[in-house]
Amino acid sequence: MPVAPLTRKQRQLVTAGADIRTSPADRIDFLHTVQCQCGLPYVNPGDGVRVWEREQGHSTLRLEAGAAVDPRTGRFVEVGLPYGEKPRLVLIHLASEAVRTGNPVVDVEDSMTAFARSLGLATSGPHLRGLKDQLGRLAASTVRFGLVEGGHAVQVNTQIVTAFDLWFPAEPTQRVLWPSTVRLSADYFQSLTRHAVPLDRRAVGALAGSSMALDVYVWLAQRLHRIGPGKPQFVGWANAYGQFGQGYERVRDFRRQFLKTLAQVRTVYPQARLDADRRGLTLSHSPPPVTERTTVACRAERL
């Protein structure tokens, strides 16, 4: 029986996994630890939904939809919540640049096409319109996240992405431009410098087409290395469903998709040690996807 050829995405995963197994990361991404544990919506929850909350362990994220001025009327119009893989990639990009440079002001490309290309996204018209929409939603949103540590609650309330032109130009042929820099809020940047989780850029790129895959990867990246050696932690399917099961009415349907996604994630995070059975997941102490030595070396090279 002939074997079906690999899809482009499968080839990308296999290539990235082989590269990760044989060579250290030469480009490291970062994401705030709370955003590693509490993700954005996978799909549009509906423009009438103005608040999105997720809680996982000691971390809580609350996302509140905002508004933007329509240049045609001069009035504020409500903008929906960000969702999908695009705002996730934008958050990783902004956090990574801020951590690498030690500066809350992040240089970004001067056109949408160049910015999309830097994220590894397609640059055709529909894809750019989708990215523009998600950037607008993210820029208008207020993000509140809390982290309980040492018996104290740390809360940050911020608009992570500062506003820029959220509207397409009147002329379809005109290039979509925006400011060349984005400033992260002081509270978010200070919290990020203390709670940034290193990620392998090759893994992020290989998983970029799936919101669930990105969420599972960053969750494991921040959690597995903090588990004590010889002290595995159990996560039942009900808890996993509560964290990653958006859009699935039945746990068994979610579990089937989650296991497929987990296989993809493990291809690009081969150090991850965990087992799955009918009851749930057993997580064991594992090396992080990027070692501290590699992180320090890449930061020094950047400087």
Side-chain angles (χ1 to χ4, degrees):
M1 185 175 183
V3 178
L6 296 177
T7 65
R8 184 186 63 82
K9 175 55 68 175
Q10 289 171 332
R11 289 197 302 271
Q12 186 179 8
L13 276 168
V14 171
T15 300
D19 192 28
I20 288 170
R21 283 179 169 84
T22 56
S23 60
D26 60 357
R27 181 78 183 265
I28 299 174
D29 283 338
F30 295 90
L31 188 62
H32 195 290
T33 185
V34 172
Q35 293 165 331
C36 288
Q37 300 172 71
C38 306
L40 303 174
Y42 289 161
V43 298
N44 190 354
D47 290 341
V49 177
R50 309 302 295 168
V51 176
W52 171 266
E53 267 191 40
R54 275 296 178 269
E55 180 178 348
Q56 205 283 320
H58 299 297
S59 299
T60 303
L61 181 142
R62 178 182 173 95
L63 188 65
E64 299 173 3
V69 175
D70 187 334
R72 296 166 297 185
T73 64
R75 297 178 179 274
F76 279 99
V77 295
E78 290 188 340
V79 179
L81 291 165
Y83 63 89
E85 74 277 2
K86 291 182 177 66
R88 286 168 164 82
L89 294 172
V90 170
L91 288 173
I92 291 173
H93 176 79
L94 295 177
S96 302
E97 290 302 308
V99 171
R100 267 196 287 270
T101 62
N103 192 332
V105 178
V106 178
D107 290 329
V108 295
E109 302 287 353
D110 68 349
S111 74
M112 177 170 293
T113 300
F115 185 60
R117 191 176 294 118
S118 74
L119 297 175
L121 298 174
T123 56
S124 64
H127 286 95
L128 288 184
R129 283 191 291 274
L131 176 60
K132 184 74 168 179
D133 176 60
Q134 291 304 318
L135 281 171
R137 290 167 179 256
L138 188 61
S141 297
T142 297
V143 180
R144 308 179 193 277
F145 52 85
L147 180 65
V148 178
E149 53 183 5
H152 300 281
V154 178
Q155 180 171 329
V156 176
N157 304 329
T158 185
Q159 284 186 283
I160 295 174
V161 182
T162 58
F164 42 76
D165 181 13
L166 306 184
W167 309 95
F168 275 98
E171 293 297 326
T173 58
Q174 183 180 342
R175 205 165 66 132
V176 182
L177 302 177
W178 51 46
S180 60
T181 61
V182 168
R183 178 180 290 275
L184 304 181
S185 76
D187 287 344
Y188 175 71
F189 177 70
Q190 291 171 8
S191 183
L192 179 66
T193 59
R194 296 192 300 271
H195 303 292
V197 176
L199 311 168
D200 193 312
R201 163 60 64 91
R202 297 166 294 183
V204 172
L207 301 172
S210 167
S211 297
M212 181 186 285
L214 288 169
D215 282 359
V216 173
Y217 173 71
V218 299
W219 174 62
L220 294 177
Q222 64 82 30
R223 181 159 184 176
L224 290 182
H225 71 96
R226 296 188 294 106
I227 296 173
K231 298 179 179 179
Q233 295 179 355
F234 178 74
V235 179
W237 284 119
N239 289 335
Y241 174 74
Q243 185 173 354
F244 300 105
Q246 304 173 34
Y248 292 90
E249 293 186 2
R250 300 186 302 181
V251 174
R252 65 181 182 183
D253 294 333
F254 154 73
R255 181 173 58 194
R256 186 182 304 112
Q257 181 58 46
F258 182 89
L259 290 174
K260 292 179 181 177
T261 301
L262 182 60
Q264 297 175 346
V265 171
R266 297 183 76 170
T267 299
V268 293
Y269 186 3
Q271 311 98 311
R273 297 180 58 233
L274 67 158
D275 296 299
D277 57 26
R278 295 186 62 84
R279 299 183 306 117
L281 304 168
T282 301
L283 312 180
S284 300
H285 175 77
S286 309
V290 179
T291 65
E292 181 63 26
R293 180 178 301 176
T294 303
T295 303
V296 171
C298 286
R299 281 175 172 167
E301 183 179 344
R302 177 77 177 187
L303 297 174

